[in-house]
Amino acid sequence: MTGNVSVVVSTYNRPDALELCLRSLMYQSRLPDEIIVGDDGSRPDTAEVIDRLRALAPIPLVHVWQEDRGFRLAAIRNKAVMASSGQYIIQIDGDIIAHPRFVEDHMHFARPGYFLRGGRALLGPALTAELCRDRVPRPVHIWTPGISKATNTLRIPPLARYLAPRYRPSAYVLGCNMSFHKSDFLAVNGYDEHFEGWGGEDSDFFRRLRLNGVRHLRLKFAAIAYHLYHDEASRHNQAHNDLYSTRPHPDIYCADGADKYSIAGDTCPAGDHIPKARSAGP
């Protein structure tokens, strides 16, 4: 896999988890070329964390913010991807701690015409509270107390290579651990911003990619991600979103998508904030 890679991190009002996430990305065996934080309207303490870590980061760290007008994950992901400079996008949530070889694994499996989808191990409330208190990522393994889906902590590269094209198919996809070529994202106009409130936007995006001829590989025993605990989000719009995401004949190129934003860090619509990336050091 050649070309630059951007990691896009979505967040909302969880600066302690975001700090863990960003620190885990700063100590990768294969550093991304930049990190873009897509912020769905967080309070100023999130920007303070990003500004502090930007001074320590070995790569550019960019903050893309939009006004808080409810759960608009599809919109902030579109804005963050359009603000990125990478040809390849790895997408995670801001409550994910990435294994030290997370980026390396995504890049190893990346290939033209494919979309990658990974899994996650779930960290329990006590372990999450401990990690968020210290704000320092530390090794987590299958025997660490307070983990569910513990087999997702296992990194076994030969088995991952065998399973990637063979793993059982599913229409369900987790946006907290996926990667794709930006050209494929642009070809379907990114996320459909019809989705507001929890759920459906990832499966719809995945479905339109497949309808456009993009195949997928399932990463099991590679690209390990640890998902910090949180209370369940409000799902008041889930039924509507689920119905829309399974509509019989979706437009591959969605009408309300990423094309209304300027690409590669140019100005977004009024009310949005995309400061220029600043490199580490003086």
Side-chain angles (χ1 to χ4, degrees), residues 86-100:
Q87 299 167 343
Y88 196 74
I89 306 297
I90 300 174
Q91 179 180 285
I92 64 175
D93 287 348
D95 55 5
I96 289 289
I97 299 175
H99 183 281

Side-chain angles (χ1 to χ4, degrees), residues 15-34:
D16 52 356
L18 180 64
E19 180 160 354
L20 282 166
C21 176
L22 296 179
R23 286 185 179 275
S24 74
L25 293 172
M26 289 162 52
Y27 295 97
Q28 291 289 304
S29 58
R30 194 290 193 195
L31 283 170
D33 294 285
E34 64 181 359

Side-chain angles (χ1 to χ4, degrees), residues 110-127:
R111 60 200 65 183
Y114 281 85
F115 167 100
L116 306 182
R117 39 199 292 256
R120 59 188 176 161
L122 304 178
L123 308 188
L127 179 56

Side-chain angles (χ1 to χ4, degrees), residues 262-280:
S262 298
I263 197 165
D266 290 339
T267 304
C268 275
D272 299 314
H273 178 51
I274 304 181
K276 288 186 177 180
R278 286 183 286 171
S279 298

Side-chain angles (χ1 to χ4, degrees), residues 233-269:
S234 170
R235 303 193 178 191
H236 73 278
N237 211 35
Q238 181 181 2
H240 171 269
N241 285 350
D242 286 348
L243 184 63
Y244 186 73
S245 69
T246 56
R247 62 202 184 279
H249 304 291
D251 293 330
I252 292 175
Y253 190 92
C254 64
D256 188 12
D259 59 358
K260 58 180 163 296
Y261 309 116
S262 298
I263 197 165
D266 290 339
T267 304
C268 275

Side-chain angles (χ1 to χ4, degrees), residues 43-99:
R43 296 180 298 264
D45 53 355
T46 290
E48 291 167 5
V49 166
I50 295 168
D51 288 343
R52 175 165 48 80
L53 292 181
R54 182 181 287 123
L56 306 174
I59 52 176
L61 175 57
V62 180
H63 186 197
V64 179
W65 182 91
Q66 69 182 9
E67 183 182 358
D68 186 358
R69 300 206 307 265
F71 192 109
R72 295 189 295 142
L73 182 58
I76 195 58
R77 282 180 173 162
N78 281 343
K79 292 171 184 177
V81 172
M82 295 299 274
S84 69
S85 62
Q87 299 167 343
Y88 196 74
I89 306 297
I90 300 174
Q91 179 180 285
I92 64 175
D93 287 348
D95 55 5
I96 289 289
I97 299 175
H99 183 281

